[in-house]
C-alpha cells in the first residue's frame, strides 16, 4: 500500500439536439468502464468515426450541446468547486461519507477528502491499491474496498493475472481508518467471481457485507456457473481479521447449469442473462433490500442478514438491458431501478435511443410482508440530449431527504447530474441539473459523473475523468433537506433520515 473550474455557465435548450450516431458500446481503452462488458450490450452499430465527429461538431456549433468541457447548469444549481485527480490517475468510481470526510474510490485505490468546508475540500490521504472498480464503503473505523479484477494476490502491490489460474485473487479488502491520514490494510476475503460492488448491513458488533458479482465461466476455478446469488461476509468489528464468507444465498433457484435467472438472448434479445447481481441496496430500518441483478430486479427481506429471503422478482424484457442499481424512497413504498444500457460506455442519451431505454424504472411496492409486489409505474430519463461522443446512461444516485416528498440526485456519466422528483411515481420530473460538454468533439471518450450523492447540504460528484465536484442546490423543494444531518453515509445502505430511534439523522434547529 502506498500513501500517496470551470469557465462559464448557461442554460441548455431542453430536448433539442442532433440525432446521435447510434448506440455506441465502446468501453474505456485505458481501463475497464463502469461495468465489465455486459451480456445485454447491443452490438455497436454507430456511424463511422468521421460521421460521429461531424454530428458532434454540428451539435456544438448550433448550441444544442455545450462545447468541450464547458459547464452548464440550471439556475438553482451552483458549481461550488472541483478538485482534479492527483496521484491516482485511474477511473474515479463510488463515494462514501463519514463526519467531515468523503471517501472516493478510484480504479487505482482511493482518496480521502476533508469536506469540513465544502467550498474548499482538502486531500487528506491517497492510497494506491489497484483493483477495479474499488467500490467503497465505511463503517466506524473500517473501510471496505471491492476488487473485481483478477489479481496475482490480495496485496495492494498485486498485478493482473488470468482468472483461469487457481492462485488468482479477487474479493473484498478491509482497511483500518482510525488514523484517517494513514489508513492500514488489515484483512482480505476472497469471494466467488470477485466483488464488483458491495453493500454494508451494519450491526453493533458485526458488519455484514453483501458482495455482488457476476459473469461466471467454467474455465474460472473461483467463478463457476450458475452463480445465481450473492456472497455474505461477516466482519467482527473488534476482530476484522476474522472476516469470512458465512453464506451464499441463491436468489434465482433453478434447474440446470444456467440457474433460474433471466435467460437473456435468444429468449429475451437485448437483455442480460442473469448470472449474479450488479448491486444491492438495503434499507435496514425496514429490513428490506432491493437487488439490481442484470436481467432481474428483486425485493427481499433481510431480517436475518445472513439469510436474505426473496419476496418478489420482476423483469422488463422490452426496455431494460442491464439492471444496475436500486434506490428506495423514504417510506419504502417505491424503488427506483437503473438500466445501464451499453455498459456505461454507450452514447444512449439521444433521440434515436429514446426516453425509455437506458432510463430509470420506477416501481411502487404494493401489499404487506411476504406478499409485497413490485408494480411498474413509469420511466425517467434526462431529456437533455447528449453528443454522439458522450457516454450517457442512468447511474448512481441518492435521496435528498425532504420529508413528504421523493426527490433524488443522480449521476448520468457525461449526461452530468440530475435532481428529480418522483413523488408522483407515474409523472417524474427534473428540477435541476449540472453537466459538462463532451470530453472530445471527435471520438467517444468515456467519462462523466459516476456517482452523485447528497450529504449534509451539498451534492458531491465523483467524475471519472475530471475529479471531485461539489455542487449546491438552492430550491424551495429541496431546501428542507439542509436541516437534516447524518454522521455516516454509504448510499447503498440507506438511512432512515426521519426516524430518530435508529440514530441515522438529526435536525439543525
Amino acid at each position: 500500500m502506498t500513501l500517496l473550474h470551470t469557465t462559464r455557465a448557461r442554460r441548455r435548450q431542453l430536448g433539442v439536439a442532433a440525432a446521435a450516431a447510434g448506440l455506441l458500446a465502446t468501453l474505456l481503452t485505458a481501463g475497464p468502464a463502469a461495468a465489465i462488458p455486459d451480456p445485454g450490450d447491443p452490438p455497436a452499430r454507430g456511424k463511422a468515426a468521421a460521421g460521429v465527429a461531424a454530428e458532434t461538431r454540428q451539435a456544438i456549433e448550433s448550441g444544442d450541446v455545450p462545447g468541450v468541457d464547458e459547464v452548464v447548469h440550471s439556475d438553482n444549481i451552483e458549481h461550488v468547486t472541483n478538485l482534479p485527480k492527483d496521484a491516482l490517475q485511474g477511473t474515479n468510481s463510488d463515494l462514501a461519507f463519514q463526519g467531515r470526510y468523503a471517501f472516493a474510490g478510484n480504479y487505482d485505490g482511493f482518496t480521502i477528502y476533508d469536506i469540513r468546508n465544502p467550498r474548499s475540500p482538502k486531500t487528506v490521504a491517497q492510497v494506491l491499491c489497484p483493483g477495479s472498480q474499488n467500490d467503497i464503503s465505511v463503517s466506524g473505523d473500517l473501510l471496505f474496498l471491492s476488487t473485481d479484477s483478477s489479481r496475482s494476490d490480495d496485496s495492494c502491490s498485486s498485478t493482473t493475472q488470468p482468472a483461469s489460474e487457481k492462485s488468482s485473487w479477487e474479493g473484498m479488502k478491509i482497511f483500518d481508518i482510525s488514523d484517517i491520514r494513514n489508513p492500514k490494510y488489515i484483512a482480505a476475503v476472497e469471494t466467488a467471481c470477485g466483488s464488483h460492488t458491495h453493500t454494508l448491513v451494519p450491526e453493533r458488533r458485526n458488519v455484514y457485507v453483501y458482495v455482488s458479482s457476476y459473469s461466471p465461466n467454467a474455465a474460472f476455478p473461483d467463478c463457476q456457473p450458475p452463480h445465481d446469488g450473492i456472497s455474505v461476509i461477516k466482519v467482527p468489528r473488534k476482530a476484522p481479521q476474522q472476516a469470512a464468507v458465512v453464506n451464499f444465498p441463491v436468489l434465482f433457484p433453478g434447474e440446470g447449469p444456467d440457474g433460474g435467472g433471466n435467460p437473456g438472448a435468444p429468449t429475451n434479445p437485448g437483455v442480460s442473462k442473469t448470472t449474479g447481481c450488479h448491486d444491492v441496496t438495503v434499507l435496514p430500518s425496514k429490513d428490506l433490500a432491493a437487488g439490481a441483478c442484470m436481467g432481474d430486479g428483486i425485493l427481499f427481506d433481510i431480517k436475518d442478514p445472513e439469510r436474505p429471503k426473496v419476496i418478489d422478482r420482476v423483469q422488463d424484457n422490452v426496455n431494460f438491458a442491464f439492471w444496475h442499481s436500486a434506490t428506495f424512497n423514504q417510506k419504502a413504498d417505491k424503488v427506483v431501478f437503473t438500466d445501464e444500457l451499453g455498459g456505461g460506455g454507450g452514447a444512449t442519451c439521444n433521440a434515436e435511443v429514446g426516453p425509455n431505454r437506458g432510463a430509470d424504472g420506477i416501481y411502487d411496492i404494493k401489499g404487506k410482508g411476504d406478499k409485497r409486489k413490485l408494480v411498474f409505474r413509469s420511466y425517467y430519463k434526462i431529456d437533455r440530449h447528449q453528443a454522439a461522443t458522450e457516454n450517457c446512461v442512468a447511474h448512481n444516485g441518492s435521496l435528498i431527504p425532504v420529508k413528504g416528498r421523493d426527490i433524488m440526485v443522480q449521476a448520468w456519466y457525461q449526461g452530468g447530474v440530475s435532481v428529480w422528483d418522483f413523488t408522483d411515481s407515474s409523472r417524474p420530473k427534473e428540477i435541476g441539473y449540472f453537466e459538462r460538454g463532451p470530453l472530445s468533439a471527435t471520438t467517444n471518450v468515456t467519462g462523466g459523473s459516476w456517482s452523485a450523492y447528497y450529504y449534509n447540504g451539498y451534492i458531491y460528484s465523483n467524475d471519472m475523468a475530471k475529479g471531485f465536484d461539489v455542487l449546491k442546490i438552492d430550491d424551495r423543494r429541496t431546501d428542507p433537506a439542509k436541516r437534516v444531518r447524518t454522521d455516516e453515509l454509504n448510499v447503498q445502505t440507506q438511512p432512515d433520515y426521519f426516524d430518530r430511534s435508529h440514530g441515522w439523522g438529526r435536525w439543525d434547529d
Side-chain angles (χ1 to χ4, degrees):
M1 181 179 73
T2 304
L3 291 178
L4 305 170
H5 184 72
T6 59
T7 54
R8 61 191 177 97
R10 61 178 172 82
R11 179 174 290 277
R12 278 279 297 278
Q13 294 179 344
L14 299 183
V16 180
L23 211 54
L24 301 178
T26 307
L27 299 178
L28 276 171
T29 56
I36 59 178
D38 298 325
D41 289 352
R45 57 181 180 83
K47 296 180 181 178
V52 170
E55 288 195 7
T56 299
R57 285 195 298 269
Q58 181 181 359
I60 291 172
E61 290 169 3
S62 66
D64 293 333
V65 171
V68 172
D69 285 343
E70 180 185 4
V71 166
V72 296
H73 53 77
S74 55
D75 292 341
N76 57 356
I77 298 281
E78 175 191 357
H79 186 204
V80 175
T81 193
N82 167 265
L83 262 64
K85 288 191 284 190
D86 189 6
L88 303 180
Q89 288 295 307
T91 300
N92 279 340
S93 58
D94 210 5
L95 293 168
F97 304 89
Q98 186 182 83
R100 59 191 266 192
Y101 300 105
F103 303 81
N106 179 286
Y107 276 54
D108 289 339
F110 64 92
T111 300
I112 303 175
Y113 298 105
D114 185 332
I115 55 171
R116 177 174 51 179
N117 179 0
R119 294 186 175 275
S120 183
K122 308 293 184 186
T123 300
V124 173
Q126 295 186 78
V127 175
L128 178 63
C129 195
S132 64
Q133 54 189 17
N134 280 337
D135 194 46
I136 194 167
S137 297
V138 291
S139 183
D141 288 337
L142 300 177
L143 180 147
F144 300 86
L145 204 64
S146 285
T147 299
D148 192 36
S149 61
S150 186
R151 313 295 297 179
S152 56
D153 56 52
D154 64 4
S155 73
C156 283
S157 58
S158 65
T159 57
T160 58
Q161 182 170 291
S164 56
E165 295 187 24
K166 177 61 179 171
S167 63
S168 296
W169 184 93
E170 48 187 322
M172 288 299 309
K173 293 173 178 149
I174 304 172
F175 292 76
D176 182 330
I177 54 170
S178 54
D179 180 352
I180 200 72
R181 295 184 180 277
N182 295 285
K184 294 179 181 178
Y185 182 18
I186 56 173
V189 180
E190 187 171 13
T191 54
C193 301
S195 175
H196 193 69
T197 66
H198 69 268
T199 303
L200 304 187
V201 186
E203 296 184 334
R204 180 168 294 182
R205 295 183 177 179
N206 304 297
V207 180
Y208 288 96
V209 186
Y210 290 171
V211 175
S212 296
S213 55
Y214 54 95
S215 293
N217 190 305
F220 300 162
D222 299 317
C223 184
Q224 291 287 297
H227 191 71
D228 273 348
I230 57 174
S231 298
V232 180
I233 298 174
K234 182 178 181 179
V235 185
R237 288 189 185 276
K238 293 186 177 180
Q241 296 83 353
Q242 298 176 13
V245 175
V246 293
N247 196 13
F248 187 87
V250 175
L251 304 176
F252 305 98
E255 300 295 331
D258 294 329
N262 196 317
T267 303
N268 297 315
V271 179
S272 295
K273 175 182 176 181
T274 298
T275 60
C277 290
H278 181 278
D279 214 339
V280 171
T281 293
V282 298
L283 189 55
S285 63
K286 301 289 195 296
D287 291 324
L288 275 179
C293 302
M294 305 180 73
D296 296 85
I298 59 173
L299 183 70
F300 49 104
D301 184 304
I302 58 167
K303 272 187 194 135
D304 182 347
E306 288 190 24
R307 297 170 183 81
K309 180 177 67 173
V310 174
I311 298 172
D312 194 26
R313 167 185 165 194
V314 290
Q315 297 178 352
D316 180 345
N317 294 319
V318 175
N319 287 313
F320 260 48
F322 188 87
W323 296 66
H324 176 275
S325 54
T327 302
F328 287 102
N329 70 333
Q330 193 63 66
K331 290 183 180 179
D333 60 7
K334 298 172 192 168
V335 182
V336 174
F337 288 102
T338 67
D339 173 25
E340 194 182 45
L341 175 69
T348 72
C349 296
N350 51 54
E352 184 178 356
V353 175
N356 296 337
R357 304 197 68 215
D360 296 319
I362 305 168
Y363 287 74
D364 286 351
I365 301 175
K366 296 294 187 180
K368 296 182 179 180
D370 290 349
K371 296 187 181 298
R372 282 172 286 192
K373 296 291 183 183
L374 292 165
V375 180
F376 175 76
R377 289 302 183 209
S378 65
Y379 297 106
Y380 170 74
K381 187 175 182 180
I382 60 172
D383 60 1
R384 296 179 312 284
H385 290 168
Q386 305 297 304
T389 59
E390 292 183 283
N391 61 302
C392 175
V393 74
H395 214 239
N396 294 348
S398 77
L399 289 185
I400 297 180
V402 177
K403 200 165 189 176
R405 299 200 68 82
D406 299 323
I407 300 175
M408 69 180 289
V409 58
Q410 185 176 2
W412 289 79
Y413 290 131
Q414 286 194 72
V417 174
S418 175
V419 178
W420 60 288
D421 187 318
F422 62 105
T423 306
D424 182 343
S425 53
S426 296
R427 295 177 178 82
K429 60 183 179 181
E430 184 172 75
I431 61 177
Y433 69 90
F434 164 88
E435 67 168 288
R436 291 181 172 90
L439 287 168
S440 170
T442 58
T443 59
N444 185 286
V445 180
T446 302
S449 179
W450 177 294
S451 298
Y453 299 147
Y454 184 92
Y455 179 69
N456 292 349
Y458 288 82
I459 293 168
Y460 297 90
S461 167
N462 211 19
D463 188 293
M464 289 190 281
K466 292 297 182 181
F468 185 67
D469 285 305
V470 183
L471 312 174
K472 189 172 184 181
I473 182 168
D474 287 305
D475 189 287
R476 58 179 178 77
R477 292 162 289 192
T478 59
D479 283 347
K482 295 177 182 178
R483 300 178 59 225
V484 181
R485 293 290 183 268
T486 186
D487 294 326
E488 191 171 272
L489 180 64
N490 302 294
V491 167
Q492 288 73 35
T493 306
Q494 285 191 221
D496 189 335
Y497 288 104
F498 304 108
D499 185 351
R500 299 190 190 208
S501 66
H502 283 86
W504 289 102
R506 65 182 188 275
W507 291 259
D508 289 343
D509 297 320

